[in-house]
Amino acid sequence: MENSNPNHQDNNKARKPGRPGGLGNTNPNQPFNVYWIYAILSMVLIGMFFFGQNKNIKRVDWSDFQEYVNDNRIESVVVYSNKDIAEAKVRPESASYVFGENAGRFGANPFIQVNIPSTQGTSEFLDTVKREKGYDIKVRFDTTSEIWSMLLTFAPFLLIIVFWIWMMRRMQGGPGGAGSGIFSVGKSKAQLFDKDAGPRVTFKDVAGLSEAKEEVQEIVEFLKHPGNYTSLGGKIPKGALLVGPPGTGKTLLAKAVAGEANVPFFSISGSDFVEMFVGVGASRVRDLFRQAKEKSPCIVFIDEIDAVGRARGKNVNFGSNDERENTLNQLLTEMDGFGSNSGVIILAATNRVDILDKALLRAGRFDRQIYVELPDLNDRKDIFKVHLRPIKIDESVDVDFLARQTPGFSGADIANVCNEAALIAARNKKKFVERDDFISAVDRIIGGLEKKNKIITQEEKKAIAIHEAGHATLSWFLEHANPLVKVTIVPRGKALGAAWYLPEERQITTKDQMLDEMCALLGGRAAEELFIGKISSGAMNDLERVTKQAYGMITYLGMSDKLPNLSYYDSSGQEYTFQKPFSESTAELIDAEVKRMIAEQYDRAKELLSRHAEGHGQLARILLEKEIIYAENLEQIFGKRPWASRSQEILQSNEEKPHSEKEVPDTLPLPPVPSE
């Protein structure tokens, strides 16, 4: 089973800075919601409305007021001396008497108002009634404020006006909106990571990527000491394009460049430029470069630039006024227009460099392309050391083994493996993360969850064991086959059984190495035919891979005796749509060569299995009993493997280099010259 893993995004995330000049809460744990303002204002307006309704006042004459006081129908009186007015609160039980049928309209606190002859006369009248009749009437003297009365009268209208002004300023991107309203769609959505806004990301935080870091080091020197280059007539490069698969650390590398140079860092995604409104993308590009010029020297990082940088004329939209093309034109103008962008360096990242517009890739815009490839063996060791720092591991964890176990994994994938291993250990209530936990994490990511409850008959289980034992036996006796790690017959994902290998990361592959790999893949089908007498559908994936590899060897690599040194591979990325680059007779010859090559390796697989049938039988029995075997079990059955893997040779050479550097001759021997 070849190690393959879905890609994941980089786990290293920078801290989001607070919004400069904004009125929102900068605490990410307690975000401020502007809808609370709407709710509060609404409640205030509703409250004032109902409050005003509850205090309806009935005007009465002085004689009626005297009658109500004498009949003990008044609960309290407020005398306003500066206006010769008194307001009296009617007792609830007397409301129907005072207000008649309209008592309900005056609410729970009914009031009456009366013009008094004088303050002193009213005071004497109330004191006399209270003294003679013993009534409990509360009397208070006060003065009214004309300004306060006017405010109470016009307060709802003032609140509505203030609310309307605040909403308009928010929609226009003013204070309180911070550029989030409908009138600010043309504002840039770039996040600013200022040089003084917290801890910086440096090259020490980036494990691996040694070649890429060397290439961007020059950009750092440009930003730190621009005078050293401009004094000689040189120009600061406009930009660099980071190309590589997802999860390899392109964004982290761009942040490290900004951190090393100690300059502001603008980060934006390519999809943030394109909206449904016409002209928004171009406006956002202009606003982004305007902000960058104000902060220069700085770095602008555009992630997934293929969202706006797609080659013009190849979009799905056949309209003449495509918004994406307008955005791209504005970006081209800003990067290489008449204006000077000195001190602003553009870094962009993509994994689809083949679809980018040629005008975007030319010198003067993106001056260089930096390839951020998947980490090799040594880089994976460094990445594992970084992600293992916060994890409690025991002595059984071998970083070299983990690096060999994860070929083709990106930095994000390795971080996911470490996290998954810690979760598995915690699930099993372990105090430390062990080697088996990391192996289980890799198995979980590659193959999926174990399905131990899947119903399999004993005959099917035996067939699976013989099939997987065939793969394991051939991988042990073929020199260039991938070294075995373990074999299991426990269903995992869609597979009923699986064999885990350590794929050799070769920079160049010979024909013999490819043939050994094909022979090992055919080991399962050959074992079924030899030891069961019938074949099954379990070898479908093996046959698919063998067929693709055989066609690739013949049509692309020219590894056929009848079609030597011919390659029909199209490196431009444009597949042959209407016509194949070879004739029908050549196609028949290719098919015949593929059949011959696969048949030869199939016979070779059966011959090797027949020679080691006894060991294969022992291996199958152990699989039926234990359901899983490791490379140590194969060593006990077949003896030590006579060949060391390429990964082991690389690790051993790296350990020996610091102690004894190999001498390199000054001159290399020349090939012999044939005599005439």
Side-chain angles (χ1 to χ4, degrees):
M1 177 178 173
E2 184 178 343
N3 283 335
S4 61
N5 192 49
N7 297 310
H8 304 275
Q9 295 180 353
D10 195 8
N11 290 349
N12 300 301
K13 299 183 184 295
R15 182 183 67 87
K16 291 185 178 181
R19 184 183 298 168
L23 299 180
N25 190 0
T26 58
N27 187 359
N29 298 323
Q30 298 178 353
F32 179 74
N33 195 338
V34 296
Y35 290 101
W36 280 108
I37 297 178
Y38 307 156
I40 293 171
L41 288 175
S42 302
M43 288 189 292
V44 169
L45 293 175
I46 295 172
M48 291 186 64
F49 175 78
F50 283 102
F51 180 77
Q53 288 292 108
N54 287 338
K55 195 177 178 181
N56 288 331
I57 299 177
K58 179 183 178 182
R59 297 187 66 88
V60 297
D61 297 332
W62 172 252
S63 58
D64 295 334
F65 175 73
Q66 290 179 316
E67 180 187 348
Y68 297 151
V69 173
N70 288 318
D71 294 342
N72 196 20
R73 302 188 185 278
I74 302 300
E75 182 177 335
S76 61
V77 179
V78 179
V79 179
Y80 297 101
S81 57
N82 60 336
K83 295 187 69 175
D84 291 335
I85 292 176
E87 288 184 1
K89 183 180 180 182
V90 181
R91 298 185 186 274
E93 59 271 15
S94 302
S96 58
Y97 178 82
V98 176
F99 300 100
E101 296 178 355
N102 299 325
R105 186 170 63 87
F106 290 87
N109 298 315
F111 281 81
I112 59 174
Q113 189 180 78
V114 59
N115 292 324
I116 58 178
S118 65
T119 303
Q120 185 172 357
T122 304
S123 176
E124 293 176 353
F125 167 71
L126 293 173
D127 291 339
T128 302
V129 174
K130 289 169 62 178
R131 185 175 62 253
E132 293 179 354
K133 298 186 177 183
Y135 295 161
D136 183 16
I137 302 175
K138 298 177 181 177
V139 181
R140 181 168 61 88
F141 295 88
D142 204 349
T143 57
T144 60
S145 175
E146 297 292 338
I147 298 176
W148 181 246
S149 301
M150 292 177 62
L151 287 177
L152 288 177
T153 305
F154 295 103
F157 303 100
L158 292 175
L159 285 175
I160 293 173
I161 294 172
V162 170
F163 178 72
W164 181 77
I165 294 173
W166 178 79
M167 282 295 299
M168 293 300 297
R169 293 187 66 184
R170 178 174 177 82
M171 294 168 67
Q172 294 175 0
S180 59
I182 62 172
F183 291 115
S184 60
V185 292
K187 302 293 183 181
S188 173
K189 294 184 177 181
Q191 293 183 357
L192 173 61
F193 298 87
D194 203 278
K195 59 183 179 180
D196 300 324
R200 295 181 295 159
V201 180
T202 62
F203 288 152
K204 295 180 180 178
D205 302 315
V206 184
L209 306 180
S210 53
E211 293 82 5
K213 285 192 287 189
E214 290 180 4
E215 290 197 57
V216 298
Q217 184 65 39
E218 189 176 4
I219 297 177
V220 175
E221 293 297 325
F222 276 134
L223 292 171
K224 280 186 175 180
H225 310 290
N228 296 343
Y229 300 90
T230 56
S231 61
L232 299 176
K235 295 181 180 179
I236 296 178
K238 294 288 183 64
L241 184 64
L242 303 176
V243 183
T248 52
K250 298 185 294 293
T251 305
L252 183 63
L253 185 62
K255 291 180 181 179
V257 172
E260 288 286 338
N262 196 21
V263 296
F265 179 80
F266 290 90
S267 178
I268 192 172
S269 176
S271 60
D272 290 336
F273 290 111
V274 182
E275 293 279 356
M276 63 178 289
F277 304 107
V278 177
V280 170
S283 176
R284 288 179 178 176
V285 170
R286 288 191 294 269
D287 187 65
L288 173 63
F289 278 83
R290 179 189 60 78
Q291 295 181 34
K293 291 174 186 177
E294 293 174 356
K295 292 281 187 177
S296 66
C298 66
I299 290 177
V300 176
F301 177 66
I302 306 175
D303 200 6
E304 306 296 341
I305 196 174
D306 51 274
V308 294
R310 188 184 297 268
R312 289 167 289 185
K314 294 184 179 181
N315 295 325
V316 180
N317 184 10
F318 294 99
S320 59
N321 189 21
D322 187 23
E323 176 65 14
R324 186 181 286 105
E325 292 190 0
N326 293 337
T327 305
L328 176 59
N329 292 335
Q330 186 63 44
L331 181 61
L332 297 175
T333 304
E334 292 289 342
M335 292 186 67
D336 191 44
F338 294 103
S340 176
N341 295 333
S342 179
V344 180
I345 292 181
I346 311 299
L347 292 181
T350 182
N351 53 359
R352 298 288 308 279
V353 68
D354 55 311
I355 67 172
L356 294 181
D357 196 276
K358 301 300 181 185
L360 193 63
L361 299 177
R362 75 158 176 83
R365 292 193 175 107
F366 285 110
D367 299 287
R368 60 193 65 184
Q369 295 185 20
I370 301 172
Y371 291 91
V372 185
E373 300 177 345
L374 291 170
D376 57 11
L377 182 63
N378 295 324
D379 289 341
R380 289 199 301 274
K381 282 181 60 179
D382 297 336
I383 296 172
F384 264 111
K385 290 177 181 178
V386 171
H387 292 293
L388 288 176
R389 290 174 188 168
I391 299 177
K392 297 180 180 179
I393 58 176
D394 65 354
E395 62 277 358
S396 64
V397 179
D398 185 10
V399 180
D400 293 339
F401 173 78
L402 294 178
R404 293 171 56 205
Q405 182 69 17
T406 52
F409 278 41
S410 64
D413 299 332
I414 293 174
N416 190 28
V417 168
C418 296
N419 184 62
E420 191 70 30
L423 295 178
I424 292 172
R427 197 178 302 132
N428 296 327
K429 295 182 171 53
K430 296 181 180 179
K431 294 183 178 179
F432 296 94
V433 185
E434 302 173 354
R435 178 177 181 266
D436 294 340
D437 299 323
F438 283 96
I439 295 176
S440 300
V442 175
D443 298 348
R444 168 71 177 85
I445 293 173
I446 295 176
L449 284 173
E450 288 186 351
K451 298 180 179 179
K452 295 184 178 181
N453 297 326
K454 201 165 197 175
I455 300 174
I456 301 176
T457 64
Q458 192 64 26
E459 186 178 354
E460 293 172 341
K461 195 173 182 181
K462 181 181 177 182
I464 297 170
I466 291 174
H467 181 103
E468 298 299 337
H471 287 304
T473 303
L474 290 187
S475 69
W476 195 261
F477 289 103
L478 292 171
E479 180 180 358
H480 303 295
N482 296 324
L484 182 73
V485 177
K486 72 175 183 179
V487 182
T488 178
I489 60 173
V490 177
R492 185 184 289 273
K494 294 183 179 181
L496 297 176
W500 273 262
Y501 303 94
L502 292 177
E504 303 285 7
E505 296 177 271
R506 304 184 182 98
Q507 301 300 321
I508 188 171
T509 307
T510 63
K511 182 179 179 180
D512 293 337
Q513 292 169 345
M514 290 185 172
L515 292 176
D516 282 357
E517 292 177 2
M518 291 176 61
C519 184
L521 285 171
L522 293 169
R525 169 61 63 89
E528 291 178 4
E529 184 177 346
L530 278 176
F531 304 113
I532 302 178
K534 37 186 184 181
I535 59 177
S536 69
S537 61
M540 184 181 70
N541 182 256
D542 301 330
L543 298 178
E544 179 188 358
R545 294 166 60 188
V546 166
T547 305
K548 287 183 179 179
Q549 186 163 339
Y551 271 104
M553 291 173 63
I554 295 172
T555 58
Y556 292 165
L557 304 177
M559 293 182 175
S560 171
D561 296 333
K562 296 186 178 180
L563 294 170
N565 305 326
L566 290 177
S567 178
Y568 301 108
Y569 179 71
D570 185 12
S571 61
S572 64
Q574 300 176 359
E575 299 293 335
Y576 306 107
T577 310
F578 302 104
Q579 186 178 0
K580 294 181 179 179
F582 44 80
S583 62
E584 290 297 327
S585 59
T586 304
E588 294 177 358
L589 183 58
I590 291 173
D591 292 339
E593 283 291 286
V594 169
K595 293 177 183 178
R596 180 190 62 81
M597 184 179 291
I598 295 176
E600 287 180 355
Q601 297 308 313
Y602 188 67
D603 294 337
R604 182 187 176 195
K606 290 197 293 184
E607 192 271 332
L608 280 173
L609 287 174
S610 301
R611 196 188 310 169
H612 303 282
E614 184 179 351
H616 174 273
Q618 296 181 27
L619 203 58
R621 285 191 293 272
I622 296 175
L623 267 176
L624 282 171
E625 181 183 349
K626 298 183 178 180
E627 293 187 339
I628 185 170
I629 58 173
Y630 295 92
E632 294 81 4
N633 302 109
L634 271 75
E635 189 171 337
Q636 294 173 2
I637 297 173
F638 299 117
K640 190 173 180 62
R641 194 168 186 258
W643 309 283
S645 66
R646 181 178 179 271
S647 301
Q648 288 177 333
E649 294 178 358
I650 292 174
L651 292 173
Q652 289 175 2
S653 63
N654 291 335
E655 292 175 358
E656 294 173 358
K657 275 184 182 180
H659 303 287
S660 59
E661 294 288 343
K662 294 182 179 180
E663 296 182 359
V664 180
D666 296 333
T667 58
L668 297 176
L670 299 176
V673 180
S675 58
E676 297 181 356

